[in-house]
Amino acid sequence: MAPAGDGDAGLARQRVNGPDIRRAFAALSVGQVHYACAGEASAPAVLFLHQTPRSWAEYRAVLPLVGRRYLAVAMDTVGFGDSAPAPWAPTIEHWASVAVELLASLGIEKAHVVGHHTGGVIAVELAAAWPERVGSLVLSSTPFTDAAFRAARATSKPIDAVTRSGDGAHLLQMWRNRQGFYPADRADLLEAFVLDALKVRGDLEGGHRAVASYRMEERIGRIRQPVLLLRAPGDPFASPHAAELAAYLRDARIVDIEGGMVPLPDQLPDAFAEAILDFLDRLE
């Protein structure tokens, strides 16, 4: 299987501690969808789904580590990163359908699916709606979006939205909105967040609203695949939900990644990848 896109000219390669990362575009029903991959095309596939408002770059250091043994693929959700803008109001269901379309375009019949925050919610819908396409799930810092969650979000302040200003003060506000949930000595992680946030096509809060409106309690019972729940103890938004998710899943276990915060995949990529590989090894 060769990456879909515009031929060799459409691929950008970069060396990162392992196999090359190959980047390309797939022409799907929603337009051009950007993805990155590492590893042999003949290996079992692992699909990575990012949080809002990040991009595939959240997994930049993870892909080569997982790609040593699997075909690791990270896509830009429609409306984020370099993918086309969404032709519809963002919903978890729409995003999951595009993920299935990407897998089909790459000739991948079944994949293990890893999702972080928003990506985890998309992964739940993907496994519920297309169980034959999902071998297992890794839900990292994934909220349980039931009625209580939706009610709480309905009255909470926007997470990332800022008002643009001529002096650029909104850029500093974006940084400060997230600063308390990121490691104090990792300005690079906040820089990556701001860069991705600036590339969002459309409403910066659209992804958060899609999560808040998803009725996970009506879908999670359909999941029969093995599930790994990765918990970042320093993530106050998502870490309390791991036990709730586990209670609804038939075959799930929780693994804590010590020191983990909101940007877990790019904050601690080695520990993140190691947890995933250990989980997949146990399935063999």
Side-chain angles (χ1 to χ4, degrees):
M1 178 199 69
D6 300 325
D8 291 340
L11 298 177
R13 297 178 181 271
Q14 58 191 115
R15 175 69 67 181
V16 184
N17 191 28
D20 283 342
I21 289 179
R22 308 180 299 279
R23 299 172 60 187
F25 290 87
L28 305 182
S29 63
V30 292
Q32 293 288 308
V33 171
H34 176 257
Y35 67 95
C37 59
E40 296 296 327
S42 59
V46 182
L47 176 66
F48 291 84
L49 304 170
H50 61 81
Q51 70 170 304
T52 298
R54 293 300 312 277
S55 71
W56 80 273
E58 180 166 64
Y59 298 110
R60 187 188 302 274
V62 173
L63 291 185
L65 299 174
V66 176
R68 291 170 179 166
R69 289 153 56 185
Y70 294 87
L71 174 63
V73 181
M75 66 182 293
D76 284 346
T77 304
V78 173
F80 296 85
D82 290 321
S83 285
W88 18 249
T91 69
I92 298 301
E93 292 85 354
H94 277 132
W95 282 331
S97 69
V98 175
V100 169
E101 198 178 342
L102 176 66
L103 291 177
S105 78
L106 298 179
I108 298 172
E109 293 185 3
K110 179 179 282 191
H112 304 289
V113 181
V114 179
H116 182 61
H117 272 272
T118 304
V121 181
I122 299 170
V124 168
E125 177 60 23
L126 187 55
W130 291 274
E132 72 284 359
R133 306 302 296 268
V134 178
S136 68
L137 287 178
V138 178
L139 304 180
S140 170
S141 299
T142 299
F144 181 56
T145 62
D146 62 352
F149 180 91
R150 292 190 293 274
R153 288 297 300 272
T155 58
S156 63
K157 296 189 301 183
I159 296 172
D160 292 312
V162 293
T163 301
R164 283 189 171 87
S165 59
D167 62 0
H170 61 292
L171 302 178
L172 179 58
Q173 188 59 52
M174 291 171 68
W175 183 290
R176 287 178 172 168
N177 285 348
R178 292 253 176 170
Q179 191 169 14
F181 310 109
Y182 279 55
D185 59 346
R186 294 292 305 275
D188 60 307
L189 297 176
L190 280 162
E191 288 170 354
F193 156 70
V194 172
L195 286 171
D196 275 343
L198 291 173
K199 295 180 72 173
V200 170
R201 310 288 190 90
D203 185 1
L204 194 59
E205 290 294 308
H208 299 307
R209 276 198 293 272
V211 169
S213 64
Y214 181 63
R215 305 179 74 85
M216 187 182 289
E217 74 274 24
E218 298 175 4
R219 304 295 284 166
I220 197 168
R222 295 172 177 245
I223 293 176
R224 297 293 183 268
Q225 299 89 341
V227 180
L228 171 64
L229 299 168
L230 291 182
R231 182 165 55 190
D235 183 340
F237 303 106
S239 60
H241 291 277
E244 290 179 276
L245 288 168
Y248 281 86
L249 295 165
R250 283 184 164 189
D251 184 6
R253 66 187 185 97
I254 299 172
V255 171
D256 287 339
I257 297 184
E258 293 304 323
M261 300 179 74
V262 168
L264 179 60
D266 48 355
Q267 176 199 358
L268 298 169
D270 293 291
F272 189 84
E274 182 180 356
I276 293 169
L277 291 172
D278 179 68
F279 169 67
L280 296 178
D281 283 348
R282 291 168 182 259
L283 299 180
E284 296 179 356

